Every structure is written in structure tokens, then in C-alpha cells.
Amino acid sequence: MKPIRTLKISISGVRGIVGDSLGPVLLVRFAQAFGTYGGGGTIAVGRDTRTSGEMVSHAVVAGLLSTGCEVIDLGIAPVPTIQFYVRRSPSAGGIAITASHNPAEWNALKFIGPRGLFLDAAEARELLDIYHQSDYRRAETPGLRAVARDASAIDRHIEEILHVLGPVPHRLRVAVDAVNGAASEASPRLLDALGCDVVPIHTTPDGRFPRPPEPVAENLKRLCAVVRERRADVGFAQDADADRLAVVDDRGRPLGEERTLALAADYVLSRERGPVVINLSTSRAVEEIAARHRAKLFRTRVGEVNVTGKMEEVGAVFGGEGNGGVIWPRINFCRDSLTGMACILHLMARRGDPISRIAAGLPRYAMVKRKLDLPPIDVSELLGRLRAATPEAGEWNDLDGLRFASGSSWWHVRPSNTEPAIRVVAEAKTERLARSLADRLERRIRAAIRGRRAE
Amino acid sequence: MRALKISTSGVRGTVGWPFTPELAIEFAQAFATYVGGGTILVARDSRRSGEMFRAAVVSGLLAAGIRVVDLGICPTPSLQLAVIHRRARGGIAITAGHNPEGWNALKFIRDDGIYLNARQGEELLDVFHQREFHKARWDRIRPLEVFARADDLHRRLLRARFDIERIRRQHFLVAVDCANGACATLTPQLLEEVGCRVVPFNDRTDDGFPHDPNPNPSAMNPLAALCKAIGATIGFAHDADGERLGIVDDRGQPLDDELTLAIAVEARLSARPGLVVTNVSTSRILDVIAERHGGRVLRTPVGQAYVSEAVRDRKAVLGGEGSGGVIVPEVLLSHDAAAAMLLILEYLAGTGSKVSEVVAGLPRRFMRKGAFPMPPRTIYSFLSGFRDDLERNAGAAGADFTDGVLIREREGWVHFRASNTEPLLRVIAEATTEEDLDILWRRAERILQEGGVLP
């Protein structure tokens, strides 16, 4: 029997299905816990376009106010815009109301610390402790503060991108698919400000997603068609909260999310020298690009907060996650699809080549991602068996699940943070090699699971 | 003092603790479930916690799939009219009326603009306690609607119901203390529209209450001073949400709160004899006035819904309570301070008399009110024990059990009842002379001592 899990309270926040597990009382309590954690300072609140967004945001505002916080309501805004706002203002933190790439019936709270970074594992555990203790700050009437509305967050974010990068020197025709999500307003405005000829699709911010919000190739058919019909130079697709970016080339072909980070890395590293941080599941293509630019590369556990934590530690000039999450600290210290678009457009302008030709020049790799159901067993023991069952020689990393690299191929196996499943990523020089690597790995995992069960 | 009272009149308590945003959300969800969907209007007074409770209420209603219309800061009678005008299923007034700023409350209004009556209030409480609220699916959650014109609607109706030309010709000089409450815009604007020269003060809704928003003589000293200084025809004082009205006469004398309804009854019955409805705790001055004009007084238990329903069912020409609430049925079947103002101004304009002269013509009574804080259980056991005693000892002859216990003595009457909104035993005595009142009050105290609730 599959467990019914529509509510997930974890160190990445609280997530659930509206009308089922995610209701206003739970939300108001989480906001109270966060207001207590933030010590009653100023908290910025923004949301994506989901139909439940106003309901969630009102519960959050009520909870924050009751703990004596001042609330700045940013309305509908991309998550990176909220993080940018918190970083550049004297806020004690922020709450982003978005279930990101999850379908429209989901919603979630993501908690942002005073420097615009998501709470890390230790901070999130502290927040959860406060939540579970239910001993919240309770402001009485003279101590209650007000809600201020600030509609300038998107402007400020766009201004910063323009300040750092300037307009794109060639007039490029750019199709953009914001999935009717948080970037519905911001993306066309940014592209316009960059001097592009914008072809917007899915920019009605009504939270009724016309495609699944995850910007993976199979969800981008409409964008690909529009790029071809309108002869656009490039197409961009975002998820509902606009942290992830996918690219469609000038011939209407999705490049695959892994290429987003490679393209942006190539641009940023040509401007700045310094270390790069990516997660353990990110393509080797980024490794090679870093090597071309003689940049030192670090890999971390999966999750934005792990990547940004390492970036701070090593003073990285660039970072990100393979699923389309570009982090360029000069502009914004988080995954930011708007920054990613601007980088790739500037890369295109500087090369003067079509994006298809630029992409062809990237290191060639093929990646296979799979998700296997996980019975309730000890995962570290399972991974130990898997390691023992791998005869090949190579480089092991057990920072987050298990990663094995040998020559130009590698695989990474880790338990999902959100489901009873393990995620498997395998990468090799060709599609065929990657698939056979993944097949072999899957067989070994299944055998390891059976071995555990046989005892 | 911290307090919470959940009763058939809604929920009321001290902000922070025990009246929390969770409680407000759950009550909103309960009300949405109780009315079964459709449109609900929400308004609040200007107290500082209003924004927090507004956010909580809106969130709870949205989560239940309600079409929520937000009236912002708005007098409760304007909300009640808007509920009728917009054909809504109901309304929630977020206001603790005359209570200090550290309090707040939710009051529930049905589709005919009247508060839930006791039976309906009990049904709502059952839904609340059962905590099985309707949850709307994500795609049934509706966007929040804003309606800022409830004030206009109210003023337009008032202008149509009174002889405005007659008032206009007098160029009355009127001072108004809005207590920085919800009437801060409505009243000055209305009085100007009917040709008065208005001197408003405490007419900001963003500044907190300058004094307790209870328009009785002790709170009307500043208004009285202003009236004297400018030689005002009359001074009006508001509570926080536009239900109760306090009056200062043309000599700068603050009038007892019982006199507001008395003057309104005099004004109404002199032009249109008929039935007046009030509660058992209100001054017997009304009976004398009614008798003079060939009218009649009907008494109900304390609680606006009782009076409202009786006014409607018995086709009364006026209703109200001794605390300064007046029902002018052709405007609204609930307390409406603005309607009371126009009724009185119209009367002054028609008769050419001064307020002090009107008061001098009214019978004189002496009233004393006491409020004894004690746990609700103590209140109810005292009241039922007292009633049993009276019935057993045949003392019940002159007693009235409409609401608590009212005893009639040679000197006057004494009423013992449980407050609907706070954990208080209220005692009210009225006599024709001060000596008689003292005798009555001493007797009341002895009853309390014998009942074991007073040392």
C-alpha cells in the first residue's frame, strides 16, 4: 500500500495539498513559529500565483502580526525576487508562499533568513522545535505592528540585473513561458528592459498552470512551437516560483535543464575568476567548463541552502544546481531564473552565434534520472550494500547518499527528501552509456533491497 | 485583565492571549461552513489588532471557498446594509464595539443584516466545536474582492430616509468625537451633507483610540469642553464601530447613556406613535414617554438580535438599548448611531427646541449599574439559585425572568444578568429618587452576599 502523504513538514518548510492537509490554522501556526524565531522583526512575504495564494498569505500575515512582526507584503513575486528583497533590506527574514514545481493543488511555505538565504538545516530544526512547542510570541495591542505593501520588489530586482549586466547589445527575439506563475509579470518586464523583442506565453498570473510547472523537456511543447513559429532566437521556461530555468534553442528544441547551468557558468566565468559550487547530482559539463576557466569546483549536498552555504564558505563566484538553478552572487545569492536569462542572453550577444551552436560547443553528456520506490528499510545499510556490490574502481562520495565517479561517468543515489523513494542519477558521454549505467545501478539497488529483506 | 468569551454573540477577548488569530480563523471557517458557501462581507473597526484579525478571518473564509468581500475599516451598520444590498449570505464585523483597544471580537451577521440570534449563535458554536469545517478544493478558492463604498451606500440611504432640507435650514453647529473609530469618515461627511457645520475630532483611523470608545459621560469630557467652547447645538460621541451614540447637550452637559434612546423615542413617538422595543435592562423612562404619546414599550432579553427581530416582527417604530444603541427600522434593523443622529437632528429642527429643553421635559430616573467579574459558572449558578428561591418563596410575583432575574420593589427595579460578551454579572437598578436607589442598591448587594457571590 502506498502511504498517503499530502503534508510534508521538513527542514525545507511546510508543504501540502490545499483543501486537504494544508489549511489556514496550520499555516497561521507556522507563521507564528517563524515570527517567534525572527524575534518580532520585519518579515517580507511574497507568493506565487496559485489560487490558494491569497488564503495562505492572509493566514501567514495574521500569524506574523500576532507575534509582533512588521509585515511587508510583496504580493505576487518570484522567489528569487523575495530573497533579493530580504537581502537588500533590513528585514529579519521572509516567507515565500509557493510549492515551486509542484502541481497547482499544492502550496508551501519556504522560510528565508535575514540574509536572503533559505534557513539551513540547523536553523530549520530550531524553527520546527518552536512550531512543535507552540510557545509563540504573543504581541498585545500596543505591540502589534502593521502591514506595509511594497510593489517595488520586482523593479528593484530588474534594476540590479541591469545595473550589473546592462542591456543586451543585439536585439534578440525571446520567447518566454512563465507557466502563469510568479514570474508572469517579472519575466516580460526584465526581457523588455534588456532590450529584447519579447514573445510572452503563459503570463496570465492566475495560478491555473497550463502545463505541469516543472520546466522539463516534455512540458515545453508549446514553447518549442512558439519559438519555431515566431522564429525566436531563444526560448526560456520557468517553474511556478521562478527559481529554475530551462532553455529552448532557436530551432525549437529543449536543451535540457542541465545545460542551463552550463551556459550561465560559461558566461559568468568568462567575467569573473573564482571557485564554483554545484551539487552532487549536477552534470559534469559544469565541471569541465570550470576547468576550462581554471576555476576550482566544489560539490555539495543537493538543496539550494547547501550550495549557497558552501559558496559562502569558499567565496564562490558562481554556483547552482543542475535542474536549472543558476546562482550568481554578484546579483542574487539564490537560484534565480531572471539572472540566468540575462546571463544566457549576454552570452549569445557576445558570441554572436545562435544558441543551438553555442550549446553544441558545450561538453557533451547524457544524463538519466530515475526514481525508485523505497520500502521502509535502513537507507544507510542499503547504500553500504550497494557500495559493496560495486566492483569497479573509482571515486566515492558519501556526503549525501552515495556518489560514484569513474572516468567521465558517474552516478548518484540518494533518498528523496519529499517521498518514500530513492533518486538515481547517472551521467555518461552518450545516451546509451548513461542508460546502461543506470540499468546496472538499478539492478544492484533492487538486489540490495532484496538482500536486506531476506534477512 | 485577560479574558475570552465565546458565546452566542460571537467571540470576544483580549488580543494576544487568549484571543488569538487561530481562534479567529476557526470561527471564520465555522461561519462559512454554517452559511454553506456564497458571499460573506468582512469589515473591521480601526483598532490596531484589526488588520491581524482581518487577515485571519479572510484566510479562514477563503479556505472554505467563500467569495469574500473586504469592506476595510467600516462602521458595522454600513456593513449590515452592504450585506443586504449585495445579497450576501452574511457578514463578519471585526470589532469589540465599546471595549478598550486591547480587546477585539467577531460578530456574525446573517443575510438580512441582523446579528445571529441566540439559537443561530448556538448552531454556529456547535459547528465551531465540532471543528469539521468545509474545505474548498484548490480550484474552488476564489480571489478576494474589495468593496470600499459601504460608507456611501449608508449615507445615501440615510439622506433618503430623513427630512434633510429641514435639517439643512438650521445650519446646526455640531461637534463630533469619533474616538478614532470606524465612523471617522462617515459621520463628518454625513453631517456636512445635511448642512451642519461640523467640528470633528479624533477622526483618524490610524492613530489608536484616544480614550475607551464607550460614549458614556465619563468619556465625553473632551467633547463637552469642545461643545462649550464653540457653543455647539449638540455634541455626538461614537463607539468604535458606529453602533452606540453619546450626546452632549447645548449647554455642554454630557448626557447619561440611557438618555440617547430616550431622546430618540421622544423624537420618534412625537411624530409617529407606535411600538418601541427595548431590553429588560433599559430605563423605564421609555415607558413614561411612550405613555405620553400613546405608544407602547415591548421588552426582550438583552442582546441586539432579540430587539431587532421583535422590531421587525411587531412592526415597531423604534428599537434600542440603554447603552446608546438606537434602531431606526426604516434604515436598518440594528443599532445605527448615524441614523440616531439624523432622527434627533430632524426632531430638533422640526420643533425648534434645544437638547437641554428636550431632556428637561423627560421624566427623571436614577440608575446604577454594577459589573462583577466572576467565572461564568458562578454567575449561572447564582442566577438559577436566586430564581429558585423566588419561586419557592412566592416572591416571583413581581419578578421577571426574561433574561436573568429582574425584581420589582416599591422603590423601583433591580436586574441581575450574565453579560453576553464578558465574564461579568451585571446588576442594574433604577429608582425615582436617589434615596430609593440607595435602598434598592443595598438590597441588591445583600442578595449578592446571600447568594455567595459578594463577600
Side-chain angles (χ1 to χ4, degrees):
Chain A
M1 191 189 80
K2 261 195 143 175
I4 302 162
R5 273 223 311 227
T6 62
L7 183 71
K8 179 78 185 170
I9 293 174
S10 73
I11 57 168
S12 5
V14 52
R15 215 160 53 92
I17 292 183
V18 173
D20 181 12
S21 53
L22 194 72
V25 169
L26 180 85
L27 292 161
V28 81
R29 290 192 180 139
F30 254 100
Q32 286 173 308
F34 188 65
T36 305
Y37 174 83
T42 299
I43 306 288
V45 176
R47 60 186 172 93
D48 72 17
T49 54
R50 281 162 213 267
T51 53
S52 59
E54 277 187 315
M55 179 274 282
V56 177
S57 134
H58 278 85
V60 163
V61 166
L64 291 174
L65 288 175
S66 76
T67 61
C69 288
E70 183 191 16
V71 177
I72 300 181
D73 184 357
L74 306 180
I76 291 175
V79 167
T81 304
I82 302 168
Q83 290 175 279
F84 179 81
Y85 187 93
V86 171
R87 191 174 181 81
R88 301 295 173 99
S89 69
S91 307
I95 296 184
I97 298 165
T98 171
S100 176
H101 59 274
N102 288 125
E105 63 268 31
W106 289 80
N107 216 331
L109 304 184
K110 292 181 174 171
F111 300 101
I112 299 165
R115 292 178 306 137
L117 304 175
F118 289 122
L119 298 194
D120 67 23
E123 293 163 336
R125 267 192 290 272
E126 193 183 332
L127 173 65
L128 286 183
D129 284 346
I130 296 172
Y131 170 74
H132 288 121
Q133 284 160 9
S134 317
D135 186 17
Y136 313 129
R137 276 177 70 109
R138 298 192 187 278
E140 297 184 358
T141 282
L144 286 170
R145 296 165 77 189
V147 179
R149 282 166 185 85
D150 191 339
S152 73
I154 291 173
D155 288 334
R156 295 190 197 189
H157 190 184
I158 291 175
E159 272 163 29
E160 177 67 11
I161 293 172
L162 257 99
H163 172 71
V164 172
L165 284 167
V168 179
H170 304 322
R171 184 144 179 97
L172 296 172
R173 177 170 293 178
V174 182
V176 64
D177 172 355
V179 68
N180 292 347
S184 293
E185 183 198 339
S187 290
R189 276 181 47 199
L190 168 71
L191 293 170
D192 190 59
L194 286 168
C196 299
D197 174 13
V198 191
V199 183
I201 65 166
H202 305 152
T203 53
T204 310
D206 63 2
R208 293 180 189 262
F209 305 143
R211 57 162 171 89
E214 192 161 19
V216 293
E218 64 263 32
N219 296 336
L220 305 183
K221 296 198 174 71
R222 177 95 192 96
L223 177 63
C224 293
V226 167
V227 167
R228 280 193 298 268
E229 283 159 21
R230 302 291 302 272
R231 299 179 182 284
D233 295 299
V234 66
F236 290 123
Q238 291 157 303
D239 60 351
D241 61 344
D243 53 5
R244 289 166 63 175
L245 178 70
V247 181
V248 169
D249 76 8
D250 47 299
R251 290 151 73 178
R253 297 175 307 190
L255 294 181
E257 281 183 292
E258 293 289 327
R259 298 282 186 82
T260 305
L261 193 61
L263 290 166
D266 202 18
Y267 176 73
V268 171
L269 294 177
S270 68
R271 285 179 54 132
E272 293 184 17
R273 300 185 77 89
V276 172
V277 178
I278 55 178
N279 73 31
L280 288 163
S281 272
T282 301
S283 171
R284 245 184 76 94
V286 183
E287 247 175 72
E288 281 192 28
I289 287 168
R292 277 185 204 167
H293 292 280
R294 298 205 183 85
K296 202 163 158 44
L297 183 123
F298 298 88
R299 283 191 185 264
T300 66
R301 301 172 54 132
V302 174
E304 178 178 315
V305 63
N306 299 312
V307 176
T308 50
K310 189 73 177 176
M311 288 176 73
E312 284 197 308
E313 182 192 323
V314 302
V317 297
F318 184 80
E321 298 197 275
N323 59 6
V326 173
I327 306 172
W328 187 14
R330 177 167 300 272
I331 292 176
N332 201 3
F333 213 162
C334 62
R335 289 176 300 162
D336 182 350
S337 64
L338 298 171
T339 297
M341 288 195 287
C343 286
I344 290 168
L345 291 170
H346 273 275
L347 178 71
M348 290 166 66
R350 203 180 53 202
R351 295 274 184 87
D353 279 336
I355 187 74
S356 52
R357 191 170 306 153
I358 298 172
L362 292 174
R364 278 210 162 288
Y365 282 95
M367 189 181 273
V368 174
K369 296 181 182 180
R370 287 181 193 167
K371 192 172 79 184
L372 309 181
D373 286 343
L374 184 66
I377 59 170
D378 182 341
V379 175
S380 58
E381 202 179 320
L382 169 68
L383 295 178
R385 288 172 177 281
L386 180 60
R387 185 165 182 166
T390 306
E392 295 87 356
E395 196 183 316
W396 292 97
N397 184 324
D398 58 3
L399 192 63
D400 183 9
L402 197 59
R403 187 178 192 272
F404 175 75
S406 169
S408 57
S409 34
W410 58 270
W411 53 256
H412 183 206
V413 173
R414 68 182 181 94
S416 165
N417 286 329
T418 51
E419 296 162 82
I422 39 181
R423 295 187 185 279
V424 175
V425 181
E427 192 181 54
K429 273 292 183 192
T430 68
E431 184 76 33
R432 198 178 55 79
L433 284 173
R435 208 174 303 123
S436 75
L437 180 60
D439 288 345
R440 192 161 67 234
L441 183 60
E442 192 177 328
R443 276 197 304 278
R444 285 177 184 165
I445 294 169
R446 291 193 190 286
I449 291 173
R450 274 197 306 277
R452 174 67 181 78
R453 278 167 148 185
E455 282 173 13
Chain B
M1 180 179 95
R2 290 182 168 170
L4 182 73
K5 175 87 178 182
I6 290 174
S7 71
T8 54
S9 330
V11 53
R12 178 181 302 248
T14 46
V15 176
W17 189 262
F19 192 19
T20 60
E22 292 101 299
L23 207 52
I25 288 175
E26 288 182 318
F27 260 100
Q29 288 177 302
F31 187 58
T33 307
Y34 177 68
V35 305
T39 303
I40 293 176
L41 273 50
V42 176
R44 62 182 177 98
D45 71 21
S46 54
R47 64 190 74 222
R48 202 183 284 243
S49 60
E51 191 148 21
M52 170 181 73
F53 285 114
R54 170 202 162 270
V57 164
V58 166
S59 177
L61 294 177
L62 287 176
I66 293 293
R67 181 191 295 275
V68 184
V69 182
D70 182 6
L71 274 51
I73 294 177
C74 165
T76 301
S78 311
L79 163 67
Q80 290 167 307
L81 285 170
V83 165
I84 300 166
H85 175 80
R86 302 271 314 231
R87 297 175 200 281
R89 287 281 179 83
I92 300 182
I94 304 166
T95 170
H98 61 283
N99 288 134
E101 189 161 8
W103 289 68
N104 216 331
L106 304 185
K107 301 195 286 188
F108 299 97
I109 295 155
R110 24 185 243 214
D111 59 358
D112 60 357
I114 298 179
Y115 288 114
L116 298 193
N117 64 28
R119 185 183 49 77
Q120 293 160 333
E122 269 169 36
E123 287 169 356
L124 174 64
L125 285 186
D126 285 343
V127 177
F128 169 75
H129 287 121
Q130 217 160 312
R131 284 190 163 73
E132 282 165 23
F133 308 131
H134 180 68
K135 296 174 179 175
R137 234 177 53 183
W138 68 277
D139 55 349
R140 297 289 170 82
I141 294 181
R142 314 205 215 190
L144 175 65
E145 201 182 313
V146 172
F147 179 71
R149 294 188 37 256
D151 259 34
D152 290 354
L153 206 72
H154 191 180
R155 281 186 287 107
R156 207 181 321 138
L157 180 70
L158 287 166
R159 292 197 308 268
R161 290 288 181 271
F162 294 96
D163 188 347
I164 300 311
E165 281 317 308
R166 180 185 285 180
I167 301 173
R168 202 186 296 281
R169 281 194 291 274
Q170 303 297 319
H171 303 291
F172 287 133
L173 179 59
V174 182
V176 186
D177 180 354
C178 299
N180 285 344
C183 283
T185 33
L186 177 118
T187 298
Q189 229 175 318
L190 174 70
L191 292 176
E192 268 171 35
E193 284 166 357
V194 302
C196 295
R197 292 169 292 148
V198 192
V199 184
F201 72 112
N202 295 329
D203 56 346
R204 294 185 55 169
T205 54
D206 58 354
D207 217 14
F209 298 158
H211 51 77
D212 279 357
N214 194 2
N216 57 27
S218 64
M220 290 197 287
N221 288 330
L223 176 65
L226 176 65
C227 285
K228 263 186 207 148
I230 63 173
T233 317
I234 192 168
F236 290 123
H238 278 300
D239 62 358
D241 72 329
E243 291 199 332
R244 295 183 178 186
L245 184 69
I247 297 175
V248 171
D249 74 12
D250 49 292
R251 296 189 302 198
Q253 194 60 40
L255 304 183
D256 187 88
D257 21 354
E258 295 282 334
L259 286 176
T260 302
L261 181 58
I263 295 171
V265 169
E266 172 67 29
R268 172 49 51 106
L269 294 189
S270 66
R272 202 193 300 176
L275 182 71
V276 172
V277 181
T278 188
N279 65 39
V280 285
S281 256
T282 297
S283 172
R284 266 55 187 176
I285 293 178
L286 304 189
D287 301 70
V288 181
I289 302 170
E291 210 169 303
R292 283 183 192 164
H293 294 290
R296 225 159 42 76
V297 176
L298 175 75
R299 293 192 182 260
T300 70
V302 178
Q304 245 196 90
Y306 289 111
V307 180
S308 298
E309 289 185 341
V311 166
R312 183 196 58 196
D313 296 343
R314 308 292 294 270
K315 299 196 166 43
V317 294
L318 200 78
E321 295 182 352
S323 49
V326 178
I327 296 173
V328 183
E330 68 270 30
V331 177
L332 181 69
L333 288 167
S334 291
H335 293 170
D336 181 353
M341 285 190 293
L342 291 199
L343 178 69
I344 292 166
L345 290 175
E346 189 190 53
Y347 174 69
L348 295 178
T351 59
S353 41
K354 294 179 172 154
V355 185
S356 55
E357 294 163 2
V358 178
V359 173
L362 297 176
R364 193 98 199 267
R365 289 290 182 279
F366 296 87
M367 193 178 246
R368 186 155 172 195
K369 302 179 183 181
F372 303 89
M374 62 188 74
R377 190 185 301 173
T378 314
I379 298 174
Y380 291 111
S381 70
F382 163 73
L383 288 174
S384 66
F386 185 25
R387 179 179 177 162
D388 288 350
D389 263 9
L390 286 171
E391 284 174 335
R392 219 172 312 133
N393 302 323
D400 180 329
F401 305 117
T402 306
D403 183 1
V405 179
L406 183 140
I407 51 170
R408 293 192 183 88
E409 306 275 329
R410 191 188 53 77
E411 296 85 0
W413 55 272
V414 188
H415 185 203
F416 303 80
R417 57 174 282 269
S419 162
N420 290 332
T421 52
E422 290 160 75
L424 299 173
L425 175 70
R426 292 195 186 280
V427 180
I428 298 173
E430 191 180 43
T432 323
T433 67
E434 267 184 278
E435 295 71 36
D436 282 353
L437 181 61
D438 282 342
I439 296 169
L440 266 183
W441 194 257
R442 276 198 298 277
R443 202 167 300 154
E445 281 177 336
R446 205 160 51 243
I447 290 168
L448 293 178
Q449 282 157 353
E450 282 163 8
V453 293
L454 202 69

